[in-house]
Amino acid sequence: MPKSLFVDPVELRKPGFIKINDVPVNQYKSSFKKELETYGKDRLIRILYDMMTIREFETMMNTFKIQGAWNGIEYNHKGPAHLSMGQEAAAVGQCVNLDTDDFIFGSHRSHGELLAKCLSAASKLDDAKLEIIMKEFLGGDTLRMAEKVPHKNTKDLAENFILYGALGEIFARNAGFNRGLGGSMHAYFLPFGSMPNNAIVGGSADIAAGAALFKLINSKKGIVISNVGDGALGCGPVWEAICIAAMDQYKTLWPTEGPHGGPPILFNFFNNFYGMGGQTRGETMGYGTLARVGAGVNPDNMHAERVDGYNPLAVADAVQRKKAVLLEGRGPALLDTITYRYSGHSPSDASSYRTREEVETWQKTDAIAEYKQYLIDNRQITDSEAETLRGAILEKLSAVAKLAVNDAESPRASFQFIESVMFSNTKLEKMEDRTPDLLDAGSENPRVKALAGKIRSAFDGEGKPVSKNRMFQYRDGLFEAMLHRFRIDPTMAAWGEENRDWGGAFAVYRGLTEALPYHRLFNSSISEGAIVGAGVGYAMCGGRAVVELMYCDFMGRAGDEIFNQASKWQSMSAGLLKMPLVIRVSVGNKYGAQHSQDWTSLVAHIPGLKAMFPATAYDAKGMLNLALRGSDPVVFFESQLLYDKGEEFEKTVPEDYYEVPEGEPALRRTGKDITIATIGATLYRAVDAAKILKEQYGLEAELIDLRFINPLNYEKIVESVKKTGRLLLASDAVERGSFLHTVASNVSQLAFDYLDAPPVVVGSRNWITPAPECEEYFFPQTDWLIDAIHERILPLSGRNPATVQTGLDILRRTRLGV
């Protein structure tokens, strides 16, 4: 039964006041005795060393960009460099009390965070573990480069490894951390808990939320930190990530005997007071003090506080306290870590939006200088010893840089390699080998019992139509595929709007509420960006996620997460990451201009995505089975016109497991006179058109259901066109920019000598989708297909066109932009 939270009008209409707890601001009080007891002399000095390393690394990068040379080493770095000089204490302090099980996600300005996390991790790991990590990573390629730089011991070698891995990645070298495919804004190192950094401002926030969900749902160690800038607080993904991380259900509905409590995520804002050239304090934002925003999220204020990011020990203390809160299940948490960048947004930025006096005032309180003096004052290091450290860093950096700029020593990845990592193409029965958490997922499940009595075809044994109540439907095929994988893969989780209790959108998930505990199937906030973004984060951490967008039109709300995140991280990781993510997208009708669009062509345009669109009950099950055993991101389109359809082409929908071969179109009807290829629900209008062509005009149409958008094997289409000499393509996507034009273009090249007429594409009008009463004017109808054949491919004897499908009308419509 659904678990209900009673909404009581008597209680909710009472007068009163909301009381907000105090938000701490810069409350850390230094006590060197306590700090020395906590960290010891070596770690306190190590903090200084790591800060100095980041400063010199970023100064080197700035000099390369501005002057084309540094320390006598020439190099023209063509790529970006968003530098963090001034922010070193915030990055290093954050990592002092983190382990490799603690993940950090960053932004475009994350060289410092990458180095801080890696240097901290390397200093804590024993030599044997370090050696294994370095030897196994990228087949030892990065290690072999690191070994060319002088080193005294394993720890020293690990520093070479980190510095070369980072710089090699920035300079697009094959032995960089991601073989140069991520570059400056996306450099990271998974084995140390440095997770993908993101060039899209705020873009990593909802991905980090998904990583935290992975840890919560699968009982994994550690916390997740989402590092974004203060400017990112104006971005939708950040707010949606906070909303999905702060949902009450983790504490109110998820049973205490399983995963329970808030996701272990800390939203850390490196607050340098600028977003590009906009000043967040007093100009582009209205919060005054960023930490106050936590008070608007939940009664705990998200445990928010402002911390002095110029004091690494203050940051270390704050992160340690937030980590304890998160591991107790009381997340999410928020930190407003104040800091300052001395450089511009990038080297090309002259910082004309701020005064020299302001920059110099911050430099007078430079975090590295202040912390060094703090150690000197407390007799932990001398000024000459600190300079010796700096000299050693510069010597090491010089050796690394000479190696990284050398084309012969440090080659780049080949174009064949880049192509090879666009997809992982792996079949994975389950992401982890353990028993899945299930409730009533067997034969006694109410949906399973109901389906046991269904006829698994649209026709009975005598060929008569089966009533919808007795028929196994398209939606049932989707359900069976989902339940099958839930029973096998313990990491698989599904979320979206109305996923639980209601039975999911369009009754696809009816029965899953009874089958699955809350942590494997739950309702999300209405946050389409974070629904998909969290799926990206969940999948890249090693879980299988199925997320749902109730209408195709809502893809616009998740555009960055689909087109920039899900599609790119496998390839930008050089194949180190997998992305077992299925995005179920329902293509609507009847609901007008903002709920009835087919956006398959948008997805087709984006490299790195697989896209499927089953049109039959058999394919709904078989293709979702295929998607749910893969390791690549799949946008899985489903037409609302088809959910109650039975199987009309195959004899039956098998009860057992099966998959549809990837990329293979289906031949629905054989013919010799014309090929008609469709995507989605237009298949059934094409069936009607084929019948009319035969009965009224004596033409045998060969009917092909493309089924797949990417990948797509053209061989069956080309062979058909070689036989028929003619091709008509149709779908419910608007005609302008339709993916079918790509298919038509490719077929024209692959079968040019066999074509008797140019391929013709019929799509929806280039309008808004009108009211349901007028949809016949908008979506392709059977008459449109026949008229298009008559006007542009093969004149049909005695045909009196019902619609205008002429070349002249194409000119008219394109001239008008419709």
Side-chain angles (χ1 to χ4, degrees):
M1 289 293 291
K3 196 167 184 178
S4 177
L5 299 168
F6 184 66
V7 181
D8 186 352
V10 176
E11 184 66 28
L12 294 173
R13 296 182 69 199
K14 289 179 180 178
F17 296 93
I18 296 173
K19 295 182 179 179
I20 296 175
N21 297 326
D22 290 342
V23 177
V25 174
N26 299 333
Q27 288 294 303
Y28 182 76
K29 293 179 174 57
S30 295
S31 167
F32 188 77
K33 180 180 178 182
K34 182 179 178 182
E35 292 162 349
L36 186 60
E37 290 174 355
T38 301
Y39 301 114
K41 178 179 178 179
D42 290 346
R43 286 188 72 192
L44 290 174
I45 294 175
R46 181 77 211 192
I47 290 170
L48 175 63
Y49 180 87
D50 290 355
M51 291 165 63
M52 293 167 66
T53 299
I54 295 170
R55 175 67 59 85
E56 298 304 333
F57 187 95
E58 296 289 68
T59 301
M60 172 189 68
M61 285 302 307
N62 192 53
T63 308
F64 271 130
K65 284 298 292 182
I66 292 174
Q67 300 178 13
W70 170 81
N71 209 22
I73 304 167
E74 294 185 357
Y75 186 69
N76 176 23
H77 175 50
K78 299 177 181 179
H82 300 85
L83 307 175
S84 60
M85 288 93 80
Q87 300 187 183
E88 298 87 356
V92 172
Q94 178 182 92
C95 298
V96 168
N97 292 312
L98 298 181
D99 302 313
T100 54
D101 291 325
D102 301 314
F103 297 165
I104 66 169
F105 289 80
S107 67
H108 56 285
R109 196 182 310 284
S110 289
H111 298 166
E113 295 153 50
L114 165 65
L115 295 175
K117 188 69 165 71
C118 290
L119 291 169
S120 176
S123 71
K124 296 170 187 173
L125 291 171
D126 62 54
D127 287 358
K129 180 66 174 174
L130 271 177
E131 288 172 1
I132 290 171
I133 290 172
M134 291 189 291
K135 286 177 181 177
E136 293 182 350
F137 185 74
L138 295 183
D141 286 353
T142 311
L143 175 59
R144 282 186 282 275
M145 303 306 291
E147 288 172 334
K148 296 180 180 182
V149 177
H151 54 278
K152 302 171 185 175
N153 51 44
T154 300
K155 287 283 196 287
D156 201 27
L157 176 62
E159 287 186 31
N160 296 349
F161 179 92
I162 292 164
L163 292 172
Y164 180 86
L167 190 59
E169 183 60 29
I170 294 168
F171 288 172
R173 300 304 185 180
N174 186 61
F177 278 153
N178 303 111
R179 298 207 181 279
L181 301 188
S184 172
M185 296 189 286
H186 312 105
Y188 57 97
F189 186 64
L190 298 172
F192 288 165
S194 170
M195 300 298 282
N197 295 312
N198 211 298
I200 304 299
V201 174
S204 65
D206 48 12
I207 296 174
L213 279 174
F214 175 77
K215 286 186 177 292
L216 172 64
I217 290 170
N218 298 283
S219 302
K220 301 297 183 182
K221 295 179 181 178
I223 67 168
V224 177
I225 300 179
S226 167
N227 286 323
V228 295
D230 45 314
L233 198 56
C235 297
V238 175
W239 283 103
E240 289 194 14
I242 288 172
C243 288
I244 211 165
M247 293 191 300
D248 281 336
Q249 65 174 287
Y250 306 123
K251 302 164 188 174
T252 59
L253 294 176
W254 292 29
T256 54
E257 58 268 21
H260 181 83
I265 183 168
L266 168 60
F267 293 96
N268 178 63
F269 293 86
F270 282 131
N271 184 358
N272 62 26
F273 304 98
Y274 288 92
M276 295 288 290
Q279 193 170 34
T280 54
R281 183 176 179 270
E283 182 187 3
T284 64
M285 302 298 284
Y287 47 62
T289 300
L290 190 151
R292 82 166 67 246
V293 302
V297 175
N298 62 23
D300 293 325
N301 292 356
M302 292 183 68
H303 313 283
E305 66 176 276
R306 166 169 282 185
V307 61
D308 180 5
Y310 258 42
N311 182 345
L313 300 179
V315 178
D317 171 73
V319 171
Q320 178 74 350
R321 287 184 287 105
K322 301 311 172 195
K323 181 176 177 178
V325 167
L326 297 177
L327 294 179
E328 291 170 359
R330 297 192 288 128
L334 184 150
L335 272 183
D336 170 9
T337 305
I338 61 169
T339 185
Y340 196 80
R341 58 169 166 83
Y342 300 150
S343 61
H345 172 73
S346 61
S348 60
D349 172 12
S351 293
S352 58
Y353 45 82
R354 57 183 177 176
T355 65
R356 180 179 296 275
E357 178 188 10
E358 178 184 294
V359 177
E360 290 175 349
T361 301
W362 279 90
Q363 289 175 326
K364 287 177 183 176
T365 61
D366 180 72
I368 296 177
E370 282 196 349
Y371 182 70
K372 181 180 77 171
Q373 191 61 47
Y374 186 62
L375 295 183
I376 291 172
D377 292 346
N378 285 281
R379 299 190 175 93
Q380 301 302 301
I381 197 171
T382 65
D383 191 59
S384 63
E385 288 171 336
E387 280 305 303
T388 299
L389 289 179
R390 181 173 177 273
I393 292 167
L394 286 171
E395 183 178 357
K396 186 178 289 289
L397 264 181
S398 292
V400 167
K402 287 177 182 176
L403 196 58
V405 303
N406 188 315
D407 289 343
E409 292 272 18
S410 298
R412 295 193 164 90
S414 67
F415 77 88
Q416 294 96 334
F417 177 76
I418 298 172
E419 181 178 284
S420 75
V421 295
M422 289 306 299
F423 296 107
S424 50
N425 287 319
T426 308
K427 299 300 182 186
L428 299 168
E429 283 293 313
K430 49 190 172 182
M431 303 300 293
E432 290 185 7
D433 188 14
R434 55 184 168 87
T435 303
D437 294 333
L438 300 167
L439 299 177
D440 186 1
S443 59
E444 294 303 308
N445 178 278
R447 179 82 174 271
V448 174
K449 289 175 70 175
L451 293 181
K454 299 282 187 180
I455 297 174
R456 302 176 76 90
S457 170
F459 309 103
D460 64 16
E462 299 177 356
K464 296 178 181 178
V466 176
S467 69
K468 292 189 184 300
N469 288 337
R470 298 173 58 217
M471 181 174 61
F472 184 93
Q473 301 175 1
Y474 182 104
R475 58 166 58 93
D476 300 323
L478 298 173
F479 167 81
E480 287 191 343
M482 290 288 291
L483 185 60
H484 174 86
R485 193 56 55 192
F486 269 122
R487 287 168 171 166
I488 293 173
D489 190 341
T491 72
M492 180 162 149
W495 60 86
E497 297 158 25
E498 317 294 358
N499 272 206
R500 195 172 184 90
D501 301 332
W502 192 34
F506 315 106
V508 171
Y509 287 173
R510 192 174 60 237
L512 289 185
T513 295
E514 292 81 5
L516 302 167
Y518 263 93
H519 63 277
R520 302 194 69 198
L521 176 74
F522 56 93
N523 296 330
S524 71
S525 53
I526 301 178
S527 307
E528 285 85 2
I531 288 170
V532 177
V536 172
Y538 191 94
M540 71 166 53
C541 288
R544 187 178 300 283
V546 182
V547 299
E548 179 191 296
L549 298 179
M550 192 181 294
Y551 283 86
C552 186
D553 316 62
F554 300 171
M555 287 173 64
R557 295 282 296 272
D560 178 63
E561 287 78 3
I562 297 172
F563 302 142
N564 261 332
Q565 309 297 341
S567 62
K568 292 182 170 62
W569 282 114
Q570 284 197 119
S571 49
M572 285 200 298
S573 76
L576 295 175
L577 290 172
K578 290 184 170 57
M579 190 57 61
L581 169 66
V582 174
I583 305 168
R584 290 186 52 238
V585 177
S586 185
V587 179
N589 69 300
K590 300 189 302 184
Y591 288 92
Q594 294 180 336
H595 280 64
S596 305
Q597 298 172 90
D598 176 333
W599 281 358
T600 49
S601 298
L602 294 182
V603 174
H605 187 66
I606 305 299
L609 293 173
K610 292 186 176 182
M612 308 178 183
F613 199 162
T616 70
Y618 179 95
D619 284 356
K621 179 176 178 177
M623 291 171 70
L624 189 53
N625 276 335
L626 173 71
L628 291 176
R629 197 163 70 96
S631 58
D632 295 303
V634 176
V635 182
F636 196 89
F637 291 97
E638 307 159 11
S639 172
Q640 292 171 24
L641 292 168
L642 303 178
Y643 281 123
D644 62 355
K645 276 276 190 184
E647 179 53 47
E648 298 183 11
F649 299 94
E650 302 291 337
K651 290 183 178 180
T652 185
V653 179
E655 294 184 37
D656 294 335
Y657 183 86
Y658 64 93
E659 294 178 5
V660 169
E662 185 170 71
E664 293 296 330
L667 182 62
R668 301 302 185 193
R669 178 185 178 125
T670 59
K672 60 181 177 57
D673 298 310
I674 186 169
T675 302
I676 303 177
T678 66
I679 294 177
T682 319
L683 168 66
Y684 296 91
R685 279 155 267 162
V687 168
D688 293 340
K691 291 177 183 177
I692 293 172
L693 287 171
K694 179 177 175 58
E695 293 169 1
Q696 297 184 20
Y697 303 103
L699 296 178
E700 294 284 354
E702 183 142 293
L703 186 54
I704 295 177
D705 176 5
L706 296 181
R707 303 192 291 193
F708 293 91
I709 297 155
N710 191 54
L712 176 63
N713 185 352
Y714 277 76
E715 290 179 3
K716 190 173 291 184
I717 310 165
V718 170
E719 286 306 310
S720 177
V721 170
K722 285 181 177 180
K723 176 174 60 174
T724 67
R726 305 174 182 94
L727 176 63
L728 176 77
L729 302 111
S731 83
D732 285 339
V734 295
E735 176 274 331
R736 185 172 59 236
S738 171
F739 168 67
L740 293 182
H741 283 297
T742 299
V743 178
S745 174
N746 286 335
V747 172
S748 293
Q749 297 174 70
L750 295 170
F752 180 79
D753 291 339
Y754 298 87
L755 284 166
D756 296 326
V760 169
V761 173
V762 176
S764 295
R765 299 294 188 188
N766 300 313
W767 310 339
I768 60 166
T769 313
E773 293 83 357
C774 301
E775 282 188 345
E776 65 184 49
Y777 307 148
F778 178 77
F779 292 117
Q781 304 297 310
T782 301
D783 277 342
W784 296 22
L785 307 185
I786 297 171
D787 288 344
I789 294 170
H790 173 66
E791 298 282 14
R792 290 151 62 190
I793 297 178
L794 176 66
L796 302 175
S797 178
R799 177 70 180 176
N800 185 19
T803 61
V804 181
Q805 303 290 333
T806 63
L808 286 175
D809 199 55
I810 293 175
L811 290 173
R812 180 190 68 83
R813 286 186 271 122
T814 54
R815 184 171 63 248
L816 295 174
V818 296

